[in-house]
Amino acid sequence: MSGQEEWHNSPIGVFDSGVGGLTVAREIMRQLPNERIVYFGDTARVPYGNKSKETVTKFSRQIVNFLKKQEVKAIVVACNTVSAYALEELEQETDIPIIGVMKPGARAAILATKNKKVGVIATEATVHSGIYTRYIKENDANVSTLERACPLFVPLVEEGLWEDPVTDEIARRYLSELIDSGIDTLILGCTHYPMLRSTVAKIMGEGVTLVNPAYETARELKMLLAEKGLESEHRPGLGTELYRFYVSDGAEKFKQLANSILTYGILSAKVVNIEEY
Amino acid sequence: MSGQEEWHNSPIGVFDSGVGGLTVAREIMRQLPNERIVYFGDTARVPYGNKSKETVTKFSRQIVNFLKKQEVKAIVVACNTVSAYALEELEQETDIPIIGVMKPGARAAILATKNKKVGVIATEATVHSGIYTRYIKENDANVSTLERACPLFVPLVEEGLWEDPVTDEIARRYLSELIDSGIDTLILGCTHYPMLRSTVAKIMGEGVTLVNPAYETARELKMLLAEKGLESEHRPGLGTELYRFYVSDGAEKFKQLANSILTYGILSAKVVNIEEY
């Protein structure tokens, strides 16, 4: 750090268990084009969604330590499972602002619902935590919620079956109870799920609004930076590393998947031994 | 260790990335009822099948260190991915016998095939390594092989969809090329796959012999112990911990899945911080 006056030009740290968080990074790139980003994907230990609170918290703490070494000015937890299990501990332990995807997602759903019935689809861990329901109730006690875990969605996305009869069949099973319940708003409560948006939209039907927390998270980040005077003053020039990508395993494979999510090419991704942090 | 004379009564170490290796442990329990077992499942970092050689080797080395601390007399690598990527390094680094599942599986397939055409289904990592083909060719250069990765099989098993129309459809896609190739023998090259045996058998048809390397691995272990004078002399009595189970995360969930694989109840599973080894 070359001095306090430079701090607002530091990058934003964004992390996820793997590539899914790039859907959040993509929204930050769109809405905050002046901001540099350091992205970390924990590809050696992915997935988090079926692991315990203790393990997810331990892994997240190591990543926060890594990002702090990169001198980030704020951290976005682009992973619903981490947001559900570890965000409160991480906030208490860390002296820079940390935001998750769940509070923004919950607020967006409350604004979207007209019949006060909101559904949530997410990993087992996120559903088990019940935190989407808690956040929604805290904001509007009149909204009722129904949460449903969709454990096969992440492997189906990672296999590239974004639109496929098998994905349709699995989605029909996962979503049937949500359709019957009459919700008018559905939170895509896992960063992989926006890739299945068209499948989910087709099965839920036109009357149901799909909420992607990534969009709201980037908006919240923008407000937070403004509030704290942490906005970058100008778009970093050519030659400045605008976006840097780190993973704990498989840099090549990450780059391939990342390039199908982001609209521009990732120049490089470096491997980090995350267990040392 | 209370002395060299007690060494042959030490337990066998068995490990896997998760619960799948219990299909191998089960065979050892059946064929070597006098042997005690220490099982480790790396449930905090599962799955291994889509991770790199470096990462899989690092994780395996930590587990071998843990098992050596448990004073095991031999180690069975009950994971095809580890056998494919790390077995040779582990053998060189370790002073107790280590056996994998691939060599026994390859030998069993060579004995089973009549038309000298063998198929292999496995994780991406195992197929990418090409080691089943190498082991088969080393034993019988006249046998031709066809390997096919089945990346959705592990999540489908872990979701309990052992017999399901979706699993049938995915299996039909993965297996079609193998059916067309005219193989008469198919290696179930991932420890999760025996749970899908009836689905795979139905799709491959009666003319194809399915080889489960777990059975041959337990046989090879028996011969190895006899050769080295390491056989346990008598069945441990009541009150002795015959089988001990350790995981890196989620002991309760492990116990549930384990009890559906093993024929007797697991009394307990302990969580170990494997990154410290």
Side-chain angles (χ1 to χ4, degrees), chain B residues 75-103:
Chain B
I75 292 176
V76 176
V77 178
C79 171
N80 285 269
T81 302
V82 175
S83 297
Y85 273 170
L87 188 60
E88 288 174 11
E89 284 89 333
L90 296 176
E91 281 173 339
Q92 282 163 18
E93 294 165 8
T94 312
D95 52 4
I96 55 172
I98 299 196
I99 65 172
V101 286
M102 300 181 84
K103 282 184 185 170

Side-chain angles (χ1 to χ4, degrees), chain B residues 149-166:
Chain B
C150 304
L152 284 167
F153 275 1
V154 169
L156 287 166
V157 166
E158 295 199 339
E159 280 316 297
L161 303 185
W162 300 6
E163 292 184 49
D164 189 280
V166 163

Side-chain angles (χ1 to χ4, degrees), chain A residues 169-197:
Chain A
E169 169 59 23
I170 292 288
R172 260 190 293 272
R173 296 185 196 180
Y174 286 154
L175 300 174
S176 66
E177 203 188 338
L178 289 158
I179 294 171
D180 295 346
S181 73
I183 58 160
D184 72 352
T185 302
L186 179 63
I187 297 177
L188 304 176
C190 169
T191 52
H192 277 74
Y193 296 180
M195 271 80 88
L196 300 181
R197 187 177 192 111

Side-chain angles (χ1 to χ4, degrees), chain B residues 119-141:
Chain B
V120 179
I121 52 174
T123 64
E124 281 177 75
T126 301
V127 169
H128 181 251
S129 77
I131 291 188
Y132 266 118
T133 293
R134 202 182 89 198
Y135 285 157
I136 288 170
K137 295 280 185 196
E138 280 172 6
N139 277 275
D140 186 342

